[in-house]
Amino acid sequence: MPGIVGGLEPGKKRKRKDEVSGNSKKSRTALKAREPDPQEEVLGLEQKILESRTNYNSIHTLLDHIRVGGSAEEKDILAAVALCRVFCRLMAAGNLNKPQDKASNEATIVQWLRERLQDYENRLLRLLKDEDAGRQSTALTLLMRLIKEEATHLNKSEEAIWRHGLFEKLLRTLVEDGVAEDTRVEFVEKYVGEYDEVRYYTFARLADMSSKDPSEPVVQNTLSILSAVETIPEQQDELENFYIGPPSKAKHELYSLTAHKKQAQKAWMALLRHTLTKAQRKSILDLMSHRIAPWFLKPELLLDFLTDSSNIGGSTSLMALSGLFYLMQHKNLDYPQFYQKLYSLLDAQILHSKHRSRFFRLLETFLASTHLPAALVASFIKRLSRLTLYAPPSGIVVVVPWIYNLLKNHPSCTFMIHRNSELDKEEDEGGPERHGDPFRIWESDPMETDAIESSLWEIHMLQTHYHPSVATIAKIISEQFTKQAYNLEDFLDHSYGTMLDAELEKDIKRAPEIEYEIPKKIFMKHEVGSGKEDGLVVKLWSFN
């Protein structure tokens, strides 16, 4: 074509690469500027919906923005929050209340809105299982807000609100797999622990769910929710904080402390009937005295669980006895085999156990009463004295102060200190002699061990123990009992490491005397011509 050379018209120059690049950057910037802001888009859709019924189809658009799973986007949560405001305002305005004429166009619109509300609720329930903890927390807050608004504006019955409605679906989702533990804790702290009717219906629904579904996730998550409930009302007047509002009836069950405790008792009993793992059983036993037993109107219902747990052995038995002791002390429960069970835990492993500190704390509580029989107290003293002969030093330094305190509280047992260890005693005049220690260590009943007739010769032997700390503390039994009592906490946390550190940190006032010359070399040979003989270690082993 005339006038065009190489694709360019006469008089026009080829654009440089940097000019083209600059133009493309400007176009991208302009394109980015034209992209709608997610927050403005969502707020615009929300405003349209609230302005006119003709824009109700925008509810569908917002629902589509709430995507469960995949990468979290800002628009998802913005749409979820916006829809919550939309439905709350529609409910407050009465737009979701069913009209009397079910065949009218109004009824069709209301039915459509209710279906979209149900779709929204289902998406929030699925959002509760999202991988992102923040999205789970937001979904929980929005669901609880919907429960409150539905109860306030949709004229639903109590049964429909709490037992078969959204609250029941929320609770069922929380006990299933996929929900983070922090979300369950948040639910308890923000709602169950704060509002009386939420706590009441949580107990009621968990009792039904746990009894119908014995699967492992449901049992574990139900335990997680129940064990997080710390608030236990003690008086009727405390039942005054309600999430939705106070019941209209003056004699409603929500005002009854007995009704609240009955629901809690049902929930815990439904859980205890399941086959529990060792960790779950220990978790329950750990909460027994301060979060479980106070709820029970009939504490004797816990006896089977505690008795079965006490037969397991080890730390589980100890924790079960702690629960039994609480019931005996505070609920006037009778359990005659308590001290026999406790005595059976005093075996050769107890002073080597990692639970030793906890055991002695509880043992001190169990034997604190001055009304216990002297024969029973003497059996515990004697049994632990015998076990010190095989115990590590860190265990012995706990036993001796504990025995001191018991002897101080039970003066009738102090005869065991000064009685001769070798008893040559005639039962009758001219009768047979009985030699040795009368203590029957294999007797399972602490009232039948004859420990009160024995002596504490084991503690006397400890006064020559190889460890200086043990030897020193064992001597307190042979001295005058001028000290009122020892604080057991000062001795419970000792170990080989702490006792060694204590010895190394002591100030040496005078260097110890020795009877031989300290060698210059132990593992190496002396120089030839030094005139010193190599040690036995060097002769037997080569360290080259």
Side-chain angles (χ1 to χ4, degrees):
M1 182 180 297
I4 297 178
V5 180
L8 290 176
E9 297 180 12
K12 289 191 177 182
K13 298 181 180 179
R14 188 184 300 271
K15 292 183 179 180
R16 291 183 300 176
K17 290 184 179 180
D18 55 350
E19 293 180 3
V20 176
S21 176
N23 292 337
S24 62
K25 287 181 180 179
K26 290 180 182 179
S27 61
R28 283 199 299 268
T29 304
L31 182 63
K32 189 174 182 180
R34 289 197 300 270
E35 288 181 359
D37 181 62
Q39 185 171 1
E40 291 181 2
E41 180 185 355
V42 169
L43 290 177
L45 290 171
E46 177 187 352
Q47 189 64 32
K48 286 181 180 180
I49 295 169
L50 297 175
E51 285 176 355
S52 172
R53 288 187 173 190
T54 58
N55 298 320
Y56 278 176
N57 282 331
S58 296
I59 294 176
H60 261 309
T61 307
L62 289 176
L63 282 172
D64 292 337
H65 287 325
I66 306 175
R67 293 190 296 271
V68 181
S71 59
E73 294 184 7
E74 181 184 5
K75 190 181 291 186
D76 298 351
I77 296 302
L78 291 173
V81 175
L83 275 174
C84 183
R85 290 194 295 263
V86 166
F87 282 115
C88 287
R89 292 183 184 182
L90 290 177
M91 284 187 278
N95 292 334
L96 271 78
N97 292 332
K98 293 181 179 179
Q100 294 181 352
D101 186 4
K102 296 182 180 180
S104 62
N105 291 333
E106 182 69 20
T108 304
I109 295 174
V110 169
Q111 180 63 28
W112 185 88
L113 286 174
R114 283 176 172 258
E115 290 174 357
R116 300 294 73 74
L117 174 60
Q118 190 171 2
D119 291 342
Y120 175 56
E121 292 172 353
N122 291 335
R123 288 173 186 266
L124 290 179
L125 290 171
R126 291 199 298 272
L127 204 60
L128 268 180
K129 296 184 178 183
D130 194 88
E131 295 178 356
D132 185 83
R135 288 154 67 93
Q136 288 191 21
S137 177
T138 302
L140 174 65
T141 303
L142 297 178
L143 285 165
M144 289 302 296
R145 175 65 186 276
L146 288 177
I147 291 171
K148 185 172 185 177
E149 295 298 324
E150 289 179 14
T152 305
H153 301 295
L154 295 188
N155 299 322
K156 289 187 176 181
S157 64
E158 177 187 327
E159 193 81 8
I161 297 169
W162 298 105
R163 298 185 186 275
H164 303 294
L166 181 57
F167 182 76
E168 198 268 347
K169 294 177 182 178
L170 167 62
L171 208 55
R172 186 171 295 279
T173 304
L174 287 173
V175 299
E176 293 174 351
D177 261 345
V179 180
E181 183 65 23
D182 290 344
T183 305
R184 280 185 281 269
V185 172
E186 180 184 353
F187 171 69
V188 174
E189 290 179 351
K190 289 176 63 176
Y191 303 104
V192 180
E194 290 292 324
Y195 303 104
D196 295 318
E197 88 270 44
V198 178
R199 182 178 60 245
Y200 177 90
Y201 288 109
T202 297
F203 282 138
R205 299 311 306 141
L206 287 179
D208 292 340
M209 293 178 192
S210 182
S211 59
K212 294 177 182 178
D213 189 353
S215 62
E216 172 61 24
V218 172
V219 172
Q220 178 59 44
N221 295 331
T222 300
L223 173 59
S224 176
I225 294 174
L226 290 178
S227 59
V229 180
E230 299 179 1
T231 308
I232 303 177
E234 297 179 357
Q235 297 179 355
Q236 201 98 349
D237 298 338
E238 296 179 23
L239 303 175
E240 57 183 9
N241 193 16
F242 299 100
Y243 182 63
I244 292 176
S248 55
K249 298 180 181 178
K251 293 185 178 181
H252 197 278
E253 57 187 4
L254 290 178
Y255 289 124
S256 171
L257 182 60
T258 301
H260 280 260
K261 290 194 171 186
K262 185 177 179 181
Q263 295 299 333
Q265 179 178 285
K266 285 173 60 179
W268 277 112
M269 286 305 301
L271 183 66
L272 296 180
R273 292 189 184 100
H274 292 298
T275 302
L276 303 171
T277 64
K278 186 177 180 180
Q280 290 169 346
R281 185 177 291 271
K282 281 189 173 184
S283 177
I284 292 172
L285 291 172
D286 195 37
L287 301 170
M288 183 61 66
S289 59
H290 57 285
R291 292 196 190 178
I292 299 177
W295 282 111
F296 274 64
L297 298 171
K298 297 180 179 180
E300 60 271 14
L301 294 175
L302 293 169
L303 261 182
D304 289 341
F305 175 77
L306 291 172
T307 304
D308 292 342
S309 299
S310 67
N311 293 330
I312 293 176
S315 59
T316 304
S317 296
L318 181 62
M319 297 168 75
L321 289 178
S322 178
L324 285 168
F325 189 75
Y326 172 84
L327 296 180
M328 292 165 58
Q329 247 190 345
H330 299 277
K331 303 294 183 179
N332 297 321
L333 195 70
D334 186 26
Y335 188 69
Q337 293 84 24
F338 178 80
Y339 286 100
Q340 189 170 341
K341 290 270 189 184
L342 179 63
Y343 187 72
S344 68
L345 296 180
L346 300 179
D347 55 18
Q349 302 300 322
I350 192 65
L351 294 180
H352 298 266
S353 171
K354 63 180 180 180
H355 305 289
R356 180 179 62 210
S357 298
R358 181 171 191 169
F359 176 80
F360 275 97
R361 287 188 182 97
L362 293 175
L363 196 61
E364 187 178 35
T365 303
F366 298 157
L367 299 175
S369 174
T370 56
H371 300 290
L372 294 174
L376 184 142
V377 176
S379 294
F380 280 89
I381 293 175
K382 181 64 179 178
R383 182 69 171 263
L384 276 170
S385 299
R386 183 66 58 84
L387 292 177
T388 57
L389 299 179
Y390 317 101
S394 55
I396 300 174
V397 296
V398 180
V399 174
V400 177
W402 178 82
I403 291 177
Y404 179 97
N405 292 345
L406 270 186
L407 292 174
K408 193 77 174 177
N409 291 336
H410 301 272
S412 56
C413 295
T414 55
F415 294 103
M416 299 173 68
I417 301 174
H418 303 292
R419 187 176 288 120
N420 292 330
S421 58
E422 289 292 334
L423 297 177
D424 296 327
K425 175 182 173 184
E426 291 186 357
E427 293 182 354
D428 300 307
E429 187 176 349
E433 293 183 347
R434 184 172 62 174
H435 299 279
D437 194 338
F439 174 60
R440 294 189 284 174
I441 193 169
W442 304 115
E443 174 60 49
S444 60
D445 188 352
M447 294 296 293
E448 303 294 335
T449 61
D450 291 336
I452 195 68
E453 304 295 333
S454 181
S455 66
L456 298 180
W457 59 266
E458 298 92 346
I459 305 300
H460 182 74
M461 288 187 64
L462 293 177
Q463 294 175 3
T464 57
H465 196 274
Y466 74 89
H467 199 290
S469 297
V470 174
T472 301
I473 202 168
K475 292 176 182 178
I476 65 174
I477 300 297
S478 301
E479 299 171 354
Q480 290 186 356
F481 280 32
T482 56
K483 190 176 181 67
Q484 185 63 30
Y486 283 91
N487 183 8
L488 212 59
E489 292 293 330
D490 296 337
F491 305 92
L492 289 176
D493 296 325
H494 278 303
S495 63
Y496 276 115
T498 58
M499 296 183 74
L500 179 62
D501 291 340
E503 288 296 321
L504 293 175
E505 291 173 1
K506 284 183 178 179
D507 294 330
I508 300 177
K509 298 180 180 178
R510 188 179 65 177
E513 300 291 341
I514 56 176
E515 297 180 356
Y516 58 89
E517 181 182 356
I518 300 176
K520 299 292 184 182
K521 295 183 178 182
I522 298 176
F523 300 105
M524 304 295 292
K525 293 182 178 181
H526 290 288
E527 290 79 3
V528 179
S530 64
K532 296 181 180 179
E533 185 181 359
D534 293 332
L536 181 62
V537 176
V538 176
K539 293 178 180 180
L540 295 177
W541 290 280
S542 175
F543 295 94
N544 295 332

